[in-house]
Structures are given as structure tokens and as C-alpha cells.
């Protein structure tokens, strides 16, 4: 089998080939939804996100408080385990939704939670805003999308280590250190406009002060407790966001202009949907990023006749992902092919629309 | 101002209050807005971040939010309101005559 070597870097030949092939900044398929209904779905509200944020803060306080109360006994471990997931994995989806500016209707609320969640999940807010914009423009286009979670062939050790954010988290801290001194990586210079770059340096310096402050406090108190509450949860609480996140695209097609073929929608229970803020409706989110998380179930109902069948839970999803990723170690060309409903429109029918200049 | 640069973009009823529609003319594309208080405005039709039609976006008060990455502009002035939009949007003079929305595309 002659596998084509894939170059996932944003400055490599595959990125240039994607541009030449018309895969970059292309017109993507979107399912038909009447404008009136879409306006209804896009409508912003503060209520659901305020409610969810209060529940989130209260849960952090309860589980963190019980962990502190039981400090020194093994009984503290399960409470800190939940605290870590709420701290880090729930922040992943808050970072995401507030980054889109759709979680709250009020802009400053999105901005405050975005900054907070970015720190808690260890994602520099400016770098990741731009990287995520590119992910939406060129979803799983090799050489263009900086957020391809499982490149082919997959690097299993790095993938598995990310369940504790070892690779991703340490990499982020390394970049924070670089940014603190006023430097960006060449890739970052490629997608972060110059006028935005000072924000990266400012945030990195604030983060460095917080992180060093917590480390210093731990030394002063001769206790790990400050670090277990702030800093380390970004690592020990990361596993669930990876469990959720891998369902989005892992094992699916690359270089297609149809989110129905490279994203998954997975039905989840209400607790998972609270932590993940409905990002399990991932086909819908990519197709219509303007629709807030609380309206995604309604959007799903509106377009499900035009999308492949959703997965019923994580178990069914991982029954597909694990063999696919294992196979891609030896056969990088392999991917799962999503089958569109018989009466669904094809991407070609839609992408014929020209964009006037 | 040369009268010939004014073109009819739509009828006043073609666009709902607090909404936007697309208007294509001579290979160019525009977005025509109607505010909550029935004022009409026009801007370039494509977002300045990437070539995405703003008419598919969401109008909230004086803001048009782009459907692709949620970049925001004040559609009255064209001002970009923050990342990922950094470049202002071009705006066009608008007038309403006999139930039609005219824009000066000159
Ligand atoms: S294309 Fe409009 S914000 Fe990116």
C-alpha cells in the first residue's frame, strides 16, 4: 500500500496544495433551513448560560470544598476528581462557546467566561481564537486546519498522554513561556494578525504571574493544596474533554467540504451535555456556528433528515473510533465513510453557488 | 453626486425589521439592513475577514454578526467590533423612495 505522507503543518506543501485544489476558504455544504426558522434558532439569550454558569460555579465550590475538608484522607480523591473535570473539561466547552460569542447574549459575559475558561483549560485566548476560526474555515483540511486532533497515522503515545493533558498542556505552558518574552512561533505568526499579537504577550504575562503565584503559595504553605485547586486540575481533569472531543472528527474523512462527512453528532445524557454544553451536536455546530448551544437540539431536529444518523452514546461512537484509529496506524488512507440519507442533497448541488466579489 | 450610481436594491418590505438581505448588482454583492426603528443601511455584502455573505448572519440592534466566525460590525458605520474581524466594512448611502430602498454604489 503506498500511503501518501501527510504534512499537517500549516506552512508546508500540503497546505499550499489545499489552496490550489480549492479546499481552503471554500464554500461548504449547509442543510436547507428557512431564514425565519434560522433567525429563531440564532436568537441570543443570557438566561440559559447564566443558569448553567451558576450551577457550574456552585458545583466547583461544593466539590472543591469537600476535597479541602477531607484533605489528607483518600476520601478527598473522588471529590478532587470531580472538581478537576468541572474545572478543566467543563472549561473546554465554555471556552468554545464563549469564544464563538454565542453562549450569552451580553458580550462582556462571553468575554469574562472566555478568559476564565481559557486559563482553566490552558488555552491561550488569543492564539486559540484564531486557531479555532481557521478550524471553522477549513475543518479537517490537511495543512490548513490547526486543530486536527488525530493526524494520520496517529501518534498513539501523544494521543494517550493527552488524557492527562501531558503533551497538550505542557506544550501550552512552553508557549506561554515563549510569549511571556514577546515571541510567537512561525505558525502563530501565520494566523494571528499583527494587531492582535500584543494581546498574546499580555495574557501570557498575566498567566505566568498567576501560575508562579500559586506555586509560591504552595511552597509557603508547605502544601500541594493550592496547586491541586488551581493549575494541576488543567491536567488531571482533562480526560473527559478528550473523551468528548475525539468524537467530533476522529477517524472521519479529511479534505471534504461537507461537515456531514467529517463531523459526528452523538446523543448524550443530560450531565454530559451540561459539561459539554451540547457540543455533541457537532455536525449542527459546524454547519451553523451562529446557533447557540442551547438551541442545538432544536437545530438537530430541523436538519436531521439531511444528515447521517447520529450515534447513540459514547459506547457506540468509540466502537467506531477505536478500530478506525488503530487501523490508521498502518493504513493512513483509511477513514470511516459517513452515509447520507437517500433523499439528502449532496455537497456538489450546493457548492455550485458562486461568491460575488 | 451622480444620480446614475444610485440603484434600487429592494422594496422596503423585502427586508424585515432587524434583519438583512443580500443584494447582488453588476458582479458585486451588498447587504441591505433594516433596523428595529425602520431605518435602512447598506454595506459590502462580504465579511472583511473571509468572503462570507453577511446576509446569512444575525442582526442584533446595530450589529451584524457574521455567520462564519461570529465577527461583528456596526452596520451603520461599518466599524469592526473585534476579533476575528479587524478591518472595517464599507458602507453605502441609502435613501428610501416610493417604497423602494436605493443605495449609492458609486
Ligand atoms: S468570515 Fe466573517 S468573521 Fe470570519
Amino acid at each position: 500500500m503506498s500511503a501518501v505522507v501527510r504534512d499537517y503543518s500549516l506552512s508546508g506543501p500540503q497546505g499550499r496544495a489545499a489552496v490550489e485544489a480549492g479546499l481552503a476558504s471554500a464554500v461548504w455544504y449547509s442543510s436547507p433551513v428557512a431564514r425565519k426558522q434560522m433567525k429563531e434558532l440564532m436568537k441570543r439569550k443570557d438566561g440559559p448560560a447564566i443558569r448553567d454558569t451558576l450551577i457550574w460555579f456552585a458545583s466547583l465550590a461544593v466539590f472543591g470544598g469537600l476535597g479541602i475538608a477531607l484533605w489528607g484522607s483518600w476520601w478527598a480523591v473522588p471529590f478532587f476528581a470531580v472538581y478537576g473535570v468541572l474545572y478543566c473539561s467543563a472549561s473546554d466547552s465554555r471556552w468554545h462557546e464563549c469564544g464563538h460569542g454565542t453562549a450569552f447574549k451580553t458580550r462582556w459575559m462571553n468575554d469574562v467566561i472566555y478568559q476564565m475558561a481559557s486559563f482553566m483549560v490552558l488555552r491561550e485566548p488569543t492564539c486559540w481564537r484564531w486557531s479555532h476560526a481557521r478550524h471553522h474555515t477549513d475543518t479537517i483540511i490537511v495543512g490548513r486546519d490547526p486543530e486536527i486532533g488525530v493526524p494520520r497515522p496517529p501518534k498513539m503515545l501523544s494521543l494517550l498522554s493527552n488524557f492527562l493533558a501531558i503533551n497538550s498542556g505542557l506544550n501550552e505552558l512552553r508557549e506561554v513561556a515563549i510569549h511571556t518574552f514577546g515571541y510567537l512561533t512561525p505558525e502563530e505568526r501565520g494566523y494571528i494578525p499583527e494587531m492582535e499579537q500584543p494581546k498574546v504577550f499580555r495574557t501570557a504575562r498575566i498567566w505566568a504571574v498567576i501560575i508562579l503565584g500559586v506555586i509560591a503559595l504552595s511552597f509557603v504553605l508547605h502544601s500541594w493544596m493550592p496547586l491541586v485547586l488551581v493549575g494541576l486540575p488543567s491536567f488531571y481533569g482533562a480526560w473527559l474533554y478528550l473523551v468528548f472531543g475525539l468524537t467530533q472528527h476522529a477517524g472521519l474523512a479529511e479534505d471534504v467540504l461537507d461537515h456531514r462527512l467529517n463531523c459526528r453528532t452523538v446523543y448524550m445524557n443530560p450531565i454530559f451535555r451540561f459539561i459539554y454544553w451540547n457540543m455533541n451536536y457537532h455536525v449542527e455546530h459546524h454547519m451553523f456556528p451562529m446557533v447557540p448551544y442551547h438551541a442545538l437540539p432544536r437545530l438537530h431536529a430541523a436538519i436531521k433528515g439531511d444528515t447521517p444518523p447520529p450515534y447513540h452514546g459514547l459506547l457506540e461512537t468509540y466502537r467506531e473510533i477505536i478500530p478506525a484509529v488503530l487501523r490508521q496506524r498502518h493504513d493512513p488512507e483509511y477513514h470511516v465513510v459517513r452515509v447520507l440519507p437517500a433523499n439528502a442533497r449532496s455537497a456538489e448541488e450546493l457548492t455550485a453557488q458562486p461568491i460575488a466579489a | 453626486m451622480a444620480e446614475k450610481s444610485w440603484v434600487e436594491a429592494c422594496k422596503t418590505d423585502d427586508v424585515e425589521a432587524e434583519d438583512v438581505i443580500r443584494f447582488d448588482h453588476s458582479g458585486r454583492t451588498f447587504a441591505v439592513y433594516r433596523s428595529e426603528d425602520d431605518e435602512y443601511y447598506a454595506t459590502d455584502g462580504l465579511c472583511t475577514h473571509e468572503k462570507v455573505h453577511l446576509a446569512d448572519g444575525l442582526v442584533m440592534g446595530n450589529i451584524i454578526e457574521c455567520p462564519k466566525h461570529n465577527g461583528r460590525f456596526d452596520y451603520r458605520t461599518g466599524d469592526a467590533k473585534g476579533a476575528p474581524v479587524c478591518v472595517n466594512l464599507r458602507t453605502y448611502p441609502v435613501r428610501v423612495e416610493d417604497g423602494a430602498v436605493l443605495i449609492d454604489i458609486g
Side-chain angles (χ1 to χ4, degrees):
Chain A
M1 191 172 315
S2 64
V4 181
V5 178
R6 292 172 151 72
D7 175 5
Y8 288 86
S9 71
L10 302 189
S11 45
Q14 198 125 357
R16 288 192 289 279
V19 173
E20 277 157 29
L23 291 169
S25 304
V27 178
W28 284 67
Y29 178 82
S30 55
S31 297
V33 180
R35 172 81 186 159
K36 193 174 162 54
Q37 187 178 15
M38 184 46 68
K39 271 172 63 183
E40 203 48 51
L41 290 164
M42 290 191 293
K43 211 171 240 161
R44 301 299 150 75
K45 293 177 185 170
D46 282 331
I50 289 177
R51 177 203 61 209
D52 288 350
T53 303
L54 291 176
I55 296 173
W56 181 41
F57 286 167
S59 313
L60 277 166
V62 167
F63 284 95
L66 287 168
I68 293 169
L70 295 165
W71 186 257
S73 119
W74 285 105
W75 287 107
V77 173
F79 293 104
F80 278 120
V82 178
Y83 172 83
V85 162
L86 289 166
Y87 180 106
C88 180
S89 290
S91 288
D92 168 60
S93 54
R94 272 71 185 165
W95 159 82
H96 178 265
E97 284 303 286
C98 294
H100 278 282
T102 50
F104 298 88
K105 182 178 181 184
T106 307
R107 192 67 189 233
W108 69 261
M109 294 185 191
N110 280 310
D111 293 342
V112 168
I113 299 296
Y114 181 69
Q115 292 295 333
M116 225 183 100
S118 297
F119 176 76
M120 289 160 79
V121 71
L122 277 190
R123 272 183 213 142
E124 281 198 279
T126 305
C127 302
W128 279 85
R129 191 188 289 281
W130 288 96
S131 121
H132 197 64
R134 178 67 80 81
H135 172 62
H136 270 269
T137 303
D138 297 324
T139 311
I140 321 295
I141 303 292
V142 179
R144 294 286 303 173
D145 183 350
E147 295 183 11
I148 298 182
V150 189
R152 303 188 217 155
K155 296 186 183 105
M156 295 309 286
L157 203 62
S158 142
L159 181 62
L160 293 174
S161 76
N162 278 341
F163 280 93
L164 290 176
I166 291 170
N167 202 38
S168 55
L170 292 180
N171 202 35
E172 200 69 20
L173 288 182
R174 189 180 60 84
E175 286 183 6
V176 170
I178 294 171
H179 299 156
T180 302
F181 292 102
Y183 298 105
L184 289 172
T185 65
E187 300 232 325
E188 286 165 343
R189 268 196 295 277
Y191 62 79
I192 304 172
E194 226 173 295
M195 62 193 287
E196 288 277 299
Q197 294 177 4
K199 285 189 199 166
V200 179
F201 307 137
R202 194 178 56 223
T203 308
R205 286 163 194 153
I206 295 170
W207 282 26
V209 168
I210 298 173
I211 293 166
L212 293 175
V214 176
I215 293 172
L217 188 64
S218 282
F219 270 111
V220 170
L221 298 177
H222 297 289
S223 166
W224 284 92
M225 194 195 283
L227 274 165
V228 170
L229 288 168
V230 176
L232 290 179
S234 305
F235 294 87
Y236 72 77
W239 62 275
L240 190 58
Y241 86 64
L242 197 64
V243 170
F244 290 157
L246 287 176
T247 68
Q248 297 175 356
H249 311 284
L252 297 180
E254 294 174 337
D255 297 342
V256 291
L257 299 179
D258 189 338
H259 294 115
R260 298 172 301 176
L261 306 178
N262 68 7
C263 303
R264 285 188 188 84
T265 284
V266 181
Y267 290 145
M268 289 187 186
N269 68 51
I271 293 176
F272 283 1
R273 281 177 41 209
F274 169 78
I275 294 172
Y276 198 25
W277 258 11
N278 280 344
M279 269 311 107
N280 50 308
Y281 295 102
H282 214 65
V283 175
E284 292 78 1
H285 166 66
H286 265 279
M287 213 183 261
F288 300 106
M290 297 280 288
V291 174
Y293 78 97
H294 49 78
L296 286 177
R298 282 190 286 135
L299 174 59
H300 170 67
I303 66 168
K304 68 180 179 198
D306 195 46
T307 59
Y311 297 74
H312 290 83
L314 287 174
L315 219 58
E316 183 185 320
T317 315
Y318 274 92
R319 276 203 195 111
E320 176 176 280
I321 292 175
I322 293 171
V325 170
L326 290 177
R327 182 166 164 185
Q328 285 174 343
R329 287 182 305 163
H330 318 289
D331 179 5
E333 299 303 302
Y334 175 75
H335 64 268
V336 173
V337 177
R338 298 292 279 144
V339 180
L340 298 174
N343 54 351
R345 293 193 308 166
S346 72
E348 289 72 33
E349 279 173 60
L350 178 119
T351 47
Q353 284 182 7
I355 295 182
Chain B
M1 195 177 302
E3 198 55 27
K4 66 178 181 215
S5 65
W6 286 87
V7 294
E8 180 176 325
C10 59
K11 298 294 177 201
T12 49
D13 289 347
D14 290 344
V15 48
E16 289 180 14
E18 207 178 21
D19 203 2
V20 55
I21 59 166
R22 173 176 165 180
F23 167 59
D24 292 344
H25 182 80
S26 303
R28 294 166 67 188
T29 187
F30 303 89
V32 180
Y33 308 83
R34 178 172 166 183
S35 68
E36 270 173 313
D37 42 10
D38 294 329
E39 297 288 337
Y40 290 82
Y41 298 88
T43 69
D44 270 339
L46 298 178
C47 182
T48 58
H49 177 219
E50 290 174 6
K51 288 190 166 192
V52 170
H53 284 285
L54 292 169
D56 294 327
L58 179 64
V59 176
M60 289 174 286
N62 303 319
I63 295 291
I64 172 69
E65 192 173 294
C66 172
K68 190 74 180 178
H69 311 110
N70 312 77
R72 293 175 170 208
F73 301 93
D74 185 328
Y75 59 76
R76 299 167 308 172
T77 59
D79 286 350
K81 292 295 193 186
V85 291
C86 304
V87 178
N88 293 346
L89 200 56
R90 183 171 169 193
T91 58
Y92 299 88
V94 173
R95 70 176 198 240
V96 174
E97 252 176 43
D98 302 330
V101 180
L102 307 174
I103 68 176
D104 180 1
I105 61 168

